[in-house]
Amino acid sequence: MNRNQAETSSSSTSAYHGFAPLKIRGRSVLPIVQGGMGVGISAHRLAGSVAREGAVGTIASIDLRHHHADLTAACKADPSRETLEQANLTALAREIRSARALSEGRGMIAVNVMKAVSAHADYVRVACEEGADAIVMGAGLPLDLPDLTAGHDIALIPILSDSRGVNLVLKKWMKKGRLPDAIVIEHPAHAGGHLGVTDVADMNNERFEFARVLEELEAVFATLGIARSDVPVIVGGGINSHEAVRAWLTAGANGVQIGTPFAVTEEGDAHPEFKRVLAEATPEDIVEFVSVTGLPARAVKTPWLMRYLRNEDRIRTKIGARKQTCPTALECLSVCGLRDGIEKFGHFCIDTRLAAALRGDVGNGLFFRGREKLPFGAAIRSVRELIELLLTGTTKTAAAGC
């Protein structure tokens, strides 16, 4: 990436919205971070398009082979774990290269890696080797991320939910001689997908409120002798309007992370039916449940999910404590309720269900979504229009088709 191009893009755009740029590892970008959404929802087209506008575009690293016909064919011919794992690493490398080309040297290309994924270290390695600008890691405490990236010039951004988690990560990383290049604070009561709590009932705990976290972080940073300017703070979850962006940037956040509104843009990598389901969902259509990871999750009430939830107690009674063979042979998660027979966790193949959603299979897919309404309602608009709306409250770009 050309650093001067990135800084020029950010500074020229800031002239019309007035917000300070987000500075990550010496680079200045728009204070907008597109959240990572798997399986395949945020791949090269979305991430590259967001970066081209001068913001941070994020590729979700897990199971990107579904975007590559030759890799899916190879996996079908030889569905062994070794073949599936190599296909996904190859796919990630391709997606990073394509996103970098599409970005035209502007913004930043980040790779989101779930700590809960078995191959997370391999995904981190590929992201470093292929020249990604940043690694964003959540779904578990990324205490080993500095070790995994030793010797590489890449921004490291953990996703956490409260000041206690930040304090722990900062202390562990400082012992390794490294500070995060930014921190994402994700609110579990509003975000989509997997949520940063261990219990659904804990999602609305006051310790996750952005205002409280921002205030508590001042004390955490001071106690550790860290200047607040050394570690930018990005808040994510429920931010769906210019007013929300302005409120949190004014309140002390350095940037905002936004997921679902980007998933339904024209450049989003998922099937049009995926975008329609998310765009048309009302608050009553969205439900929280326990995923196979053991984490609470939030998704749209599609036919498969409602069938599963109606039968969840019966499924747990029948197979809850019984270990199963991984139905895809991928062994994607380090801990899986279905495979490992963990009764309190979910019992379904998450890779199969998310892949179905990616290809627009409404009847059988798992469609992760944030709780709030979308900035353009049910309309499908471009990345540029969305960023314009979030930063200025209006859009000059002509309306796209719905």
Side-chain angles (χ1 to χ4, degrees), residues 213-277:
V213 176
L214 290 170
E215 181 180 352
E216 291 176 348
L217 286 183
E218 296 290 342
V220 169
F221 282 36
T223 300
L224 297 175
I226 302 170
R228 174 65 178 79
S229 59
D230 289 342
V231 184
V233 177
I234 300 158
V235 296
I239 299 171
N240 64 343
S241 67
H242 169 67
E243 290 73 21
V245 171
R246 179 169 294 281
W248 292 117
L249 293 181
T250 302
N254 303 99
V256 294
Q257 178 177 278
I258 294 165
T260 304
F262 277 112
V264 302
T265 56
E266 292 172 346
E267 296 91 339
D269 292 275
H271 190 279
E273 277 294 282
F274 175 93
K275 300 176 188 181
R276 182 190 65 78
V277 168

Side-chain angles (χ1 to χ4, degrees), residues 37-42 60 62-64 66-67 350-351 354-355 357-358:
M37 297 166 284
V39 165
I41 305 305
S42 60
I62 188 168
D63 215 4
L64 288 162
H66 297 288
H67 283 302
I350 193 167
D351 183 70
L354 291 175
L358 173 67

Side-chain angles (χ1 to χ4, degrees), residues 71-320:
L71 297 178
T72 55
C75 292
K76 187 174 181 180
D78 175 19
S80 66
R81 182 178 181 182
E82 181 180 2
T83 300
L84 271 61
E85 287 181 343
Q86 186 54 54
N88 283 325
L89 295 175
T90 300
L92 175 58
R94 290 180 184 178
E95 294 293 325
I96 294 171
R97 290 175 211 147
S98 296
R100 283 165 54 88
L102 185 57
S103 73
E104 299 176 352
R106 294 191 285 271
M108 293 180 74
I109 299 296
V111 174
N112 177 280
V113 180
M114 290 177 61
K115 184 69 165 63
V117 171
S118 300
H120 73 272
D122 290 325
Y123 290 144
V124 167
R125 174 179 55 78
V126 170
C128 291
E129 291 174 350
E130 294 299 331
D133 299 307
I135 294 173
V136 184
M137 184 173 281
L141 290 173
L143 301 181
D144 61 345
L145 189 53
D147 301 316
L148 296 175
T149 55
H152 293 278
D153 181 14
I154 190 167
L156 306 182
I157 306 174
I159 301 177
L160 303 159
S161 292
D162 60 18
S163 61
R164 293 185 299 184
V166 174
N167 188 42
L168 175 59
V169 169
L170 286 174
K171 287 180 177 178
K172 293 290 187 181
W173 284 29
M174 288 173 74
K175 291 180 180 178
K176 302 173 188 290
R178 181 70 191 256
L179 285 176
D181 296 286
I183 293 172
V184 173
I185 301 296
E186 192 171 86
H187 199 312
H190 303 285
H194 289 109
L195 310 173
V197 289
T198 56
D199 187 345
V200 173
D202 196 31
M203 287 189 302
N204 292 295
N205 192 296
E206 291 181 356
R207 75 178 188 274
F208 302 126
E209 295 298 329
F210 291 149
R212 175 171 167 173
V213 176
L214 290 170
E215 181 180 352
E216 291 176 348
L217 286 183
E218 296 290 342
V220 169
F221 282 36
T223 300
L224 297 175
I226 302 170
R228 174 65 178 79
S229 59
D230 289 342
V231 184
V233 177
I234 300 158
V235 296
I239 299 171
N240 64 343
S241 67
H242 169 67
E243 290 73 21
V245 171
R246 179 169 294 281
W248 292 117
L249 293 181
T250 302
N254 303 99
V256 294
Q257 178 177 278
I258 294 165
T260 304
F262 277 112
V264 302
T265 56
E266 292 172 346
E267 296 91 339
D269 292 275
H271 190 279
E273 277 294 282
F274 175 93
K275 300 176 188 181
R276 182 190 65 78
V277 168
L278 267 61
E280 294 181 358
T282 65
E284 294 73 28
D285 296 327
I286 299 166
V287 65
E288 292 85 31
F289 60 99
V290 178
S291 169
V292 294
T293 61
L295 296 171
R298 180 172 290 116
V300 180
K301 295 178 183 176
T302 47
W304 169 79
L305 182 55
M306 294 313 295
R307 285 196 308 273
Y308 170 75
L309 293 177
R310 282 195 303 269
N311 293 292
E312 188 175 34
D313 289 341
R314 184 177 62 82
I315 292 170
R316 282 194 171 129
T317 300
K318 185 176 180 180
I319 65 168

